[in-house]
Amino acid sequence: MAEPYRWARPQRRATKNNVTKQAPTATPCREGRRELHGDLNDRGVGVARGYGQRQSRHHTPSLGFGIRRQARDERSEPVAAAIDLLPTLAQIAGTTIGDPAHLDGTSLAPLLLGAATAEDWPEREILSFWRGRVSVRTQHHRLDTEGRLFDIPLDPGQRIDVTDDEMTEVRRLRDLSAAWATEMLLELGATDERPFHFGGAPRTWLPARDGRVAGGVSCSNRFPNSSHFTNWTHTADRIHWPVEVVRPGRYRVGVEYTCSQVKLGSRVELRLGGQKLAAQVDVAHDPVIFGPENGRFPRQESAFKRFALLELGTIELAGQGDLELRATDIPGGWVMEVAALR
């Protein structure tokens, strides 16, 4: 992430002509404060900070604006997920996206536009897969990764295990979870070696989280989100992204970077196959680190910096391979910190 975000609680409201979809825990603003996933759930219960499959960790914001026919401040209760965004936005926009049977999500447009009510809405199961673990959410329950059942409307903090009281539902959801996990693991495999597509859109952004390093370059944090590459000090060091250029041609490339005035002057090369682009780090950008001082809890993730864009130039790109960034000369003993290539 090139710029920091502040996470603040959104207002539950919608104007006459706006559709607003949002989860209750947080919304991003670019000022460097945030609430971590799971700091508070929709009842204000502080549980399960970090990442995982608990109910509170599934809350992230989604805001949308469009034609609205519902009353101000109306709230729709049926459960939804990120997989619903594509079919919802397509229906609101009046466009088609192929066979709906090939999509995992459901269009929420009837609920948002007032064509359906919660009473009309069919029951559904939303399955979440993370690091080989599956959790299942229905309108009333969540089956966690250990196979325990919780009544979410009554117990959003998942403190009371109701497995013994709902064994029929538990067996049904466990069978569904096991079958879905088997299918997913067969399709995903142990590792994913697919390259990143480059040039399929007007802009391509390759963040540090998707890059790989060689030599002494390190990541600013063990968690990839919001991290950047640092400790780039030798000509043997490499930063690279596995890419497939889907639209061969000439591309203007820049790198999101920081570098202090006293360490300027390094010369770098961007390479793919036999093509290369040379540039010099000749503009200082040395922002202060910020973010932890605004946190509600001590953070484990990387602190924030405001990275700037250093234009590298134009390069002809085609084919598939490692898009590699390396230094050929380091007069200041330090190249730069890198947040993304774009």
Side-chain angles (χ1 to χ4, degrees):
M1 182 162 54
E3 293 187 9
Y5 284 76
R6 184 186 69 173
W7 294 83
R9 193 166 304 283
Q11 297 294 317
R12 294 182 178 278
R13 60 183 299 174
T15 60
K16 181 178 180 181
N17 295 317
N18 287 335
V19 167
T20 302
K21 298 188 301 174
Q22 58 194 46
T25 52
T27 187
C29 303
R30 299 191 172 191
E31 292 184 8
R33 181 189 300 272
R34 68 172 185 159
E35 295 176 354
L36 296 174
H37 286 287
D39 281 350
L40 297 173
N41 61 21
D42 57 350
R43 300 293 179 84
V45 180
V47 294
R49 296 181 62 247
Y51 301 91
Q53 294 285 52
R54 292 181 66 89
Q55 173 67 16
S56 61
R57 291 171 176 169
H58 285 264
H59 285 270
T60 53
S62 177
L63 306 178
F65 302 91
I67 302 300
R68 186 180 178 90
R69 298 175 186 169
Q70 289 180 299
R72 188 183 185 93
D73 295 325
E74 185 173 344
R75 175 171 175 167
S76 188
E77 295 292 342
V79 293
I83 55 175
D84 301 327
L85 289 176
L86 177 59
T88 299
L89 295 176
Q91 184 173 353
I92 291 175
T95 188
T96 58
I97 50 175
D99 186 356
H102 295 161
L103 296 175
D104 291 325
T106 299
S107 173
L108 307 176
L111 288 171
L112 296 172
L113 302 179
T117 65
E119 290 73 22
D120 305 326
W121 207 247
E123 289 283 336
R124 65 185 298 201
E125 297 86 21
I126 297 175
L127 294 99
S128 303
F129 183 86
W130 184 72
R131 291 190 175 182
R133 305 181 185 123
V134 179
S135 176
V136 188
R137 175 73 157 94
T138 69
Q139 187 66 38
H140 301 289
H141 297 103
R142 177 172 292 282
L143 184 80
D144 73 3
T145 56
E146 284 75 42
R148 300 172 299 185
L149 194 71
F150 298 90
D151 188 323
I152 296 303
L154 296 179
D155 178 30
Q158 291 181 235
R159 293 187 171 93
I160 304 173
D161 185 349
V162 298
T163 300
D164 293 340
D165 301 327
E166 302 279 354
M167 283 306 303
T168 300
E169 181 71 350
V170 169
R171 293 190 188 99
R172 183 181 78 86
L173 295 181
R174 283 177 178 174
D175 289 344
L176 179 65
S177 172
W180 197 77
T182 300
E183 178 184 354
M184 291 295 293
L185 288 172
L186 286 175
E187 292 185 2
L188 290 176
T191 59
D192 189 350
E193 299 295 337
R194 292 173 298 172
F196 295 100
H197 282 181
F198 190 98
R203 291 185 178 182
T204 299
W205 183 59
L206 296 174
R209 68 160 186 259
D210 297 327
R212 302 171 184 177
V213 297
V217 180
S218 60
C219 196
S220 62
N221 192 271
R222 65 189 180 95
F223 299 115
N225 295 343
S226 302
S227 62
H228 59 272
F229 292 128
T230 186
N231 198 40
W232 188 1
T233 59
H234 296 91
T235 56
D237 296 341
R238 301 286 190 276
I239 299 172
H240 57 99
W241 292 262
V243 301
E244 178 182 350
V245 182
V246 297
R247 188 175 299 169
R250 293 187 63 79
Y251 288 90
R252 190 174 67 184
V253 184
V255 60
E256 295 178 6
Y257 83 109
T258 70
C259 185
S260 65
Q261 182 71 40
V262 297
K263 296 176 180 177
L264 288 178
S266 294
R267 298 200 64 83
V268 297
E269 283 185 353
L270 181 69
R271 294 184 174 190
L272 178 63
Q275 299 294 323
K276 67 179 181 179
L277 167 66
Q280 186 172 26
V281 184
D282 54 4
V283 178
H285 178 69
D286 191 18
V288 297
I289 296 175
F290 68 103
E293 70 278 7
N294 296 320
R296 298 174 64 241
F297 298 93
R299 70 174 62 206
Q300 301 179 48
E301 298 89 342
S302 182
F304 294 121
K305 289 186 177 183
R306 296 191 184 278
F307 289 85
L309 183 67
L310 177 69
E311 294 280 355
L312 299 182
T314 303
I315 184 174
E316 187 82 25
L317 295 176
Q320 181 174 331
D322 281 342
L323 186 60
E324 181 184 86
L325 194 61
R326 60 186 293 269
T328 58
D329 185 32
I330 314 175
W334 177 276
V335 185
M336 58 181 162
E337 291 183 321
V338 174
L341 192 70
R342 65 177 184 177

